[in-house]
C-alpha cells in the first residue's frame, strides 16, 4: 500500500534562491497536517546553481526527491516528469518562485473534500504577473474554450491538487506539446476552483517571456488540430539524466 499521501511536484528553472525556503515551508505545512508527503523537484536544465542546491536538499531531507533533466523541456513536461515519479494518493503542483504559498495547500485539500472534485485548481486573486502575462492569460482563456473541454467558469493556474486516478489517466495520454490543463480536461470534468492569493515575487523575474507564451498558444492549437494526442500507455516526454533517491519514505 502506498505510504505517501501527498506528492508536491515543483518544476524548477533558475530557482536556486527559492527552493530551500519552499521545501522548508512545505514540510512545515504537512507536519502540521500530520500527513505523509514527498517533495519532488524537477530541474528543467537551469542555468544557475539550482541542481547543486536541489541535490543538497535531497541529501539533507529524506522526503525530497530531486530530478535533473538533460535539456530545457518546459514547465509542462517537467511537471509531467514529476508526476510520473510521484507516489502520493494526491499530487500538488506549484511553481518554484514562492508566488504560490505552501501555506495555502490546506485550502486546496479542504476544497477537494468539500466539493468532491478530482482536481482542484487555485483561482489566483490579486495577480502579480507582468502585464503581458495577464493579457496572455486572457488569450489562454479564449483558447481553452476552443481547444479543451474546460468546464464553464473554471479558472486556470499551475497551483493544483490532483487525485491519483487522474494522474494515471493523464500519463497515458501522448501529445506533441503537453499542456497540463488540456490533459486534465481530456480525462475528467470533475474540476473545482478555490480562491487563493497570488503572492509577490521575492527574487528575479518570470521565466515566461512573451515569445514563449505565444509559442505555447500556437502549440495548443496544434494539439487540437492534430491526432497526436491519444491513449498510448505511459510516455516520457523528457529525458532524466540524474535522480536522487528518497531515503526515508
Amino acid at each position: 500500500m502506498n505510504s505517501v499521501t501527498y506528492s508536491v511536484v515543483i518544476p524548477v528553472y533558475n530557482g536556486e534562491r527559492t527552493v530551500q525556503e519552499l521545501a522548508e515551508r512545505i514540510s512545515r505545512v504537512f507536519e502540521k497536517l500530520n500527513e505523509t508527503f514527498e517533495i519532488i523537484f524537477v530541474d528543467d536544465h537551469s542555468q544557475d546553481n539550482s541542481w547543486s542546491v536541489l541535490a543538497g536538499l535531497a541529501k539533507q531531507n529524506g522526503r525530497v526527491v530531486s530530478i535533473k533533466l538533460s535539456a530545457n523541456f518546459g514547465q509542462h513536461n517537467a511537471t509531467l516528469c514529476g508526476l510520473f515519479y510521484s507516489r502520493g494518493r494526491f499530487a500538488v503542483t506549484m511553481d518554484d518562485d514562492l508566488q504560490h504559498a505552501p501555506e495555502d495547500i490546506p485550502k486546496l485539500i479542504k476544497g477537494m473534500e468539500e466539493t468532491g472534485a478530482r482536481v482542484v485548481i487555485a483561482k489566483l486573486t490579486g495577480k502579480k504577473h507582468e502585464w503581458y502575462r495577464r493579457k496572455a492569460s486572457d488569450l489562454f482563456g479564449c483558447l481553452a474554450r476552443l481547444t479543451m473541454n474546460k468546464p464553464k467558469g473554471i479558472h486556470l493556474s499551475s497551483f493544483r491538487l490532483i487525485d491519483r486516478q487522474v494522474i494515471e489517466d493523464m500519463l497515458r495520454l501522448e501529445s506533441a506539446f503537453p499542456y497540463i490543463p488540456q490533459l486534465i480536461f481530456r480525462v475528467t470534468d470533475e474540476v473545482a476552483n478555490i480562491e487563493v492569493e497570488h503572492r509577490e515575487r521575492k527574487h528575479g523575474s518570470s521565466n515566461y517571456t512573451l515569445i514563449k507564451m505565444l509559442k505555447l498558444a500556437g502549440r495548443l492549437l496544434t494539439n487540437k488540430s492534430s491526432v497526436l494526442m491519444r491513449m498510448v500507455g505511459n510516455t516520457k516526454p523528457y529525458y532524466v539524466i540524474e535522480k536522487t533517491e528518497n531515503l526515508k519514505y
Side-chain angles (χ1 to χ4, degrees):
M1 188 174 69
N2 201 324
S3 62
V4 178
T5 304
Y6 292 97
S7 300
V8 184
V9 174
I10 305 163
V12 176
Y13 186 75
N14 294 346
E16 64 177 356
R17 291 185 289 179
T18 58
V19 290
Q20 182 161 346
E21 178 182 343
L22 188 54
E24 291 171 353
R25 288 169 61 182
I26 290 170
S27 295
R28 287 196 293 269
V29 166
F30 283 104
E31 287 165 1
K32 187 175 181 179
L33 291 173
N34 196 29
E35 294 282 6
T36 56
F37 68 98
E38 63 182 358
I39 305 170
I40 301 177
F41 288 108
V42 183
D43 181 13
D44 193 22
H45 205 66
S46 296
Q47 301 303 300
D48 63 0
N49 199 40
S50 290
W51 177 248
S52 177
V53 176
L54 294 175
L57 283 173
K59 288 181 180 178
Q60 297 165 13
N61 186 341
R63 294 185 177 94
V64 173
V65 176
S66 296
I67 299 169
K68 185 177 183 180
L69 301 184
S70 62
N72 180 242
F73 290 95
Q75 179 186 31
H76 296 273
N77 276 321
T79 301
L80 277 181
C81 174
L83 291 173
F84 181 86
Y85 286 104
S86 70
R87 299 177 298 135
R89 289 172 50 204
F90 307 93
V92 175
T93 67
M94 62 191 306
D95 292 349
D96 66 346
D97 56 14
L98 299 174
Q99 289 190 274
H100 301 159
E103 294 75 19
D104 288 329
I105 291 174
K107 294 181 182 179
L108 301 182
I109 295 172
K110 183 178 180 181
M112 183 172 281
E113 292 172 348
E114 291 180 346
T115 65
R118 299 174 67 192
V119 180
V120 173
I121 302 174
K123 177 183 177 182
L124 301 176
T125 62
K127 286 188 178 182
K128 306 301 190 296
H129 287 147
E130 298 84 349
W131 68 268
Y132 65 83
R133 288 202 64 181
R134 295 195 296 272
K135 292 295 183 183
S137 293
D138 294 339
L139 172 61
F140 287 141
C142 294
L143 285 175
R145 289 190 290 274
L146 293 172
T147 64
M148 294 180 273
N149 298 317
K150 185 176 78 69
K152 186 177 180 180
I154 291 294
H155 294 258
L156 303 180
S157 78
S158 54
F159 193 14
R160 323 173 185 89
L161 177 63
I162 312 172
D163 79 16
R164 172 52 53 184
Q165 187 57 59
V166 171
I167 294 167
E168 296 301 326
D169 290 344
M170 287 168 57
L171 291 172
R172 284 192 287 270
L173 289 171
E174 183 182 71
S175 172
F177 306 108
Y179 181 57
I180 300 296
Q182 196 169 47
L183 299 179
I184 288 172
F185 297 129
R186 285 274 295 185
V187 302
T188 185
D189 61 0
E190 297 179 63
V191 181
N193 273 142
I194 296 296
E195 286 196 356
V196 169
E197 182 183 353
H198 196 223
R199 311 301 171 122
E200 292 282 357
R201 179 184 292 274
K202 286 190 174 184
H203 305 286
S205 58
S206 172
N207 294 310
Y208 261 111
T209 64
L210 180 58
I211 296 299
K212 285 183 178 180
M213 299 191 82
L214 290 174
K215 284 182 178 179
L216 178 57
R219 288 170 178 174
L220 284 180
L221 293 174
T222 299
N223 283 348
K224 176 64 176 179
S225 61
S226 73
V227 294
L228 290 171
M229 183 176 284
R230 59 190 186 275
M231 300 297 289
V232 294
N234 283 344
T235 59
K236 297 182 183 180
Y238 45 80
Y239 184 68
V240 174
I241 58 173
E242 192 166 350
K243 176 179 176 293
T244 64
E245 294 300 322
N246 187 298
L247 301 178
K248 295 182 180 179
Y249 297 90

